[in-house]
Amino acid sequence: QVQLVESGGGLVQAGDSLRLSCAASGLTFSNYAMAWFRQAPGKEREFVARIEWSGGNTYGRTFYADSVQGRFSISRDNAKNTMYVQMNSLKPDDTAVYYCAASRYHTNIYLPGSYDYWGQGTQVTGSS
C-alpha cells in the first residue's frame, strides 16, 4: 500500500532553518505531484507548497502559499522517492504539524481534498 512518511520536525528558534523530508513508497513517485500542508492547533489544514510531477507541461513547477513564499523551498528526488521542504527564517507562526500529500491530478491544488494520499505528519514548533 501507499505510504508517505514525514521526518525532520522539531523545536526551533525564530530565524532558524529546518528541512523536512517525505519518503514515499507503494506508488510511482515520479507520476505524482507532491505537496506540503500544515495544521496548527485549532485551525484548518492549510496549503504550504507543491511541486508538480515529472512529466507533462507543468514538469517541476512549484507553488507556494504567500505566507511562506521566499522562505520555504520545495524539492524532490525521484531517484530516492523523497520530497523535501527547506524552511528558512522560521517564525512562531510556522508552528504546526506538517503533512506531505500526493496527488495524481492538477486540480484545486490548494485544497486538501484534492490529494489522494497523506502522511501522518511531523511537528514543527517555533519559539520567539
Side-chain angles (χ1 to χ4, degrees), residues 38-104:
R38 66 187 182 185
Q39 188 164 17
K43 295 187 177 181
E44 294 186 350
R45 193 168 297 191
E46 66 173 4
F47 173 83
V48 174
R50 171 178 167 124
I51 185 166
E52 290 299 334
W53 68 297
S54 301
N57 57 9
T58 60
Y59 173 79
R61 186 175 176 185
T62 58
F63 303 84
Y64 295 94
D66 289 345
S67 59
V68 307
Q69 181 75 49
R71 299 188 298 122
F72 290 14
S73 178
I74 190 171
S75 61
R76 65 190 298 161
D77 185 339
N78 290 338
K80 296 181 178 179
N81 285 2
T82 302
M83 171 184 65
Y84 308 94
V85 62
Q86 176 67 41
M87 307 186 296
N88 298 327
S89 302
L90 283 163
K91 305 175 181 180
D93 286 350
D94 294 317
T95 294
V97 176
Y98 283 72
Y99 298 91
C100 70
S103 173
R104 188 65 182 88

